[in-house]
Amino acid sequence: MRKVTRLLVAVPAMVMMLGMGAPPSVRSIPLPNDFSPEGIAAGSGSTLYVGSLVDGDIYRTDLRGHHGKVFIDAPAGRTALGMKYDKAHHRLWVAGGPTGHAYVYDTRTGRSIADLSLGTAGASLINDVVITTHAAYFTDSFNPVLYKVPIGYHGWIGRPHKITLSGPAATIVPGGFNLNGIAAPNDHTLIADHSALGTLVTINPRTGSSHSIQVTGGALTPGSPDGILLHGRSLYVVENFAERLVTVKLGHDFRTARITSVVTDADVHGAFRIPTAVAEQDGRLALVNARFDVGLPPPLGTGVPAGTDYNLVVLKR
C-alpha cells in the first residue's frame, strides 16, 4: 500500500476566475506518494480518476479528496497517460504512452475490458484520447498519426486503425513532444495542441488533414502545452513547465481563438508543480501536478526520488 500524503488546507488565490472575472478558491487533493501521475478524467458524480506513469494503476478519488484509493491495479507492463470517461458505457479509456497500447476499463468493477495495440512500443508515445459518438481517437507524440478505435452498438469496440496526418498537425520536431492533448467539439472536428510548436490545430478525423488555429490576445508557450479540456467554446490548455493554465475562447469556425485568461503559478501561490492535465467536475477544474522537474519513471526517464509526494490542484471554474 502506498503512503498517502495529508490533505492540504485550502488557500485563497487572488486570480481572475477562469473566464468569469472573480477570484477562485484553490485547494489540494493528495495522491499516493511515488504514484507519478500524468492524466486525469472526470467520472460520474464527483469522481475523479488519475493514472500512474509507473505501473498504469488508476487512483479514484473525489473533489473533496474523500475515500481516495487505487481502484484499478493494472496488469504488469502498463502505464497511463491521458484518459477519458465514457459515461454511456461506464468505461475509462486510457492512453498507454511508450507501450504503444491503449486500455479500456469497466468503471463499475475495475475490470480490464480491452488491451488495444496502436503503435510500436518504444517508437510511439500514445499520449491522449478523446471520445466521440462513434469512436475514440488517440494522439501519438512521436509520429504524425492519430489512432481511431470504432465504438459501435452497445459499446462494441472495433479494430484500431491509423489515420495519417497532413498539415501542421503532422509536424515532427526531433527530440520533442509533438501532438499531445486532444478534444472534440463535434463528431467531424478534432482539436489538438502541438507541444513543441506551442500551437493549436483542428483535424479532420476522416482525412487527417489539419489547419492551424490563429490565436490572439497572447500566445501559448512553445514546449509546454500539454493536456486540454473543451467546455463549450472555452478550451483550457495546461502548460506544464511554464506552469500556466490558459483559457482560450474558440471562434465559431474553429479557425480562430482568443486567449481570455491566464492563471500562473504565482497567481495560485506556488500551487502548480508541473501540471499536465485538467478535468472539469461540478464547476471546478482539477489539475494533475506531475512534478516532472524531479524526474520521470523509466522508460521516459531515469527515475523519481523515493517518497516523492503528488497532488491535484482544484480551482473554481
Side-chain angles (χ1 to χ4, degrees), residues 105-130:
Y105 299 99
D106 188 319
T107 56
R108 294 166 295 190
T109 65
R111 180 175 63 90
S112 179
I113 295 174
D115 179 349
L116 305 166
S117 180
L118 304 181
T120 302
S124 302
L125 187 75
I126 313 304
N127 205 327
D128 202 5
V129 56
V130 68

Side-chain angles (χ1 to χ4, degrees), residues 23-34:
S25 62
V26 181
R27 57 189 177 84
S28 173
I29 295 175
L31 298 173
N33 284 2
D34 302 319

Side-chain angles (χ1 to χ4, degrees), residues 280-302:
E280 190 273 338
Q281 193 67 279
D282 294 338
R284 289 172 172 79
L285 299 176
L287 287 81
V288 176
N289 270 334
R291 304 200 65 187
F292 288 167
D293 56 324
V294 301
L296 283 163
L300 297 173
T302 58

Side-chain angles (χ1 to χ4, degrees), residues 49-286:
Y49 299 99
V50 184
S52 170
L53 288 172
V54 174
D55 52 19
D57 284 359
I58 307 297
Y59 186 81
R60 184 174 66 184
T61 185
D62 62 23
L63 282 171
R64 295 182 179 273
H66 293 167
H67 312 298
K69 66 176 183 179
V70 174
F71 172 59
I72 296 171
D73 183 5
R78 296 190 179 187
T79 189
L81 278 77
M83 306 188 300
K84 289 295 185 299
Y85 172 63
D86 179 1
K87 181 179 179 180
H89 304 107
H90 306 285
R91 291 173 178 173
L92 189 68
W93 292 70
V94 179
T99 67
H101 284 231
Y103 311 108
V104 187
Y105 299 99
D106 188 319
T107 56
R108 294 166 295 190
T109 65
R111 180 175 63 90
S112 179
I113 295 174
D115 179 349
L116 305 166
S117 180
L118 304 181
T120 302
S124 302
L125 187 75
I126 313 304
N127 205 327
D128 202 5
V129 56
V130 68
I131 308 297
T132 66
T133 306
H134 302 295
Y137 295 91
F138 292 84
T139 58
D140 185 336
S141 292
F142 290 169
N143 298 285
V145 298
L146 291 177
Y147 302 98
K148 178 182 178 180
V149 181
I151 302 174
Y153 192 62
H154 290 316
W156 168 83
I157 297 174
R159 178 176 296 179
H161 66 270
K162 186 184 301 183
I163 301 171
T164 301
L165 298 174
S166 61
T171 302
I172 296 297
V173 176
F177 292 90
N178 298 284
L179 214 59
N180 196 328
I182 189 168
N186 54 55
D187 288 339
H188 312 292
T189 305
L190 303 175
I191 294 174
D193 62 0
H194 193 292
S195 295
L197 299 179
T199 57
L200 299 174
V201 296
T202 60
I203 301 171
N204 182 322
R206 184 177 62 84
T207 65
S209 63
S210 66
H211 298 275
S212 295
I213 298 176
Q214 302 303 314
V215 177
T216 59
L220 300 179
T221 307
S224 280
D226 203 325
I228 63 176
L229 172 69
L230 184 62
H231 186 91
R233 290 280 172 177
S234 294
L235 184 73
Y236 300 103
V237 182
V238 180
E239 295 193 336
N240 49 36
F241 280 93
E243 297 194 319
R244 305 197 310 168
L245 177 63
V246 181
T247 306
V248 178
K249 188 72 171 182
L250 295 167
H252 290 286
D253 60 357
F254 306 116
R255 296 296 181 93
T256 61
R258 178 173 55 90
I259 293 177
T260 58
S261 73
V262 178
V263 177
T264 69
D265 185 50
D267 292 326
V268 293
H269 300 275
F272 290 157
R273 299 189 296 173
I274 317 299
T276 52
V278 59
E280 190 273 338
Q281 193 67 279
D282 294 338
R284 289 172 172 79
L285 299 176

